[in-house]
Amino acid sequence: MTEEEVDASQPDIMNIYDTATDVGLVCRVCGSLVASAGEYPRAHWDWHEASNGA
């Protein structure tokens, strides 16, 4: 599998965040502040993707 194929199958989760803030990541979908450290951005994105997510 080429790198391009891997990239195509993996969504860029950072697209849902506004990173041009002084307070951290701001979700463009729901407005939540999300810590940029660790797995927090991915966990928040997963929440939106869940069937019961917003």
Side-chain angles (χ1 to χ4, degrees):
M1 184 179 288
T2 67
E3 185 177 330
E4 291 173 1
E5 292 171 334
V6 171
D7 290 343
S9 66
Q10 296 291 326
D12 184 7
I13 63 170
M14 295 308 286
N15 283 339
I16 71 166
Y17 297 111
D18 182 2
T19 58
T21 67
D22 293 332
V23 294
L25 301 176
V26 177
C27 180
R28 292 180 176 144
V29 176
C30 67
S32 293
L33 277 173
V34 179
S36 57
E39 293 296 316
Y40 289 108
R42 177 62 189 217
H44 186 78
W45 184 85
D46 287 343
W47 177 76
H48 279 296
E49 290 294 304
S51 61
N52 62 343

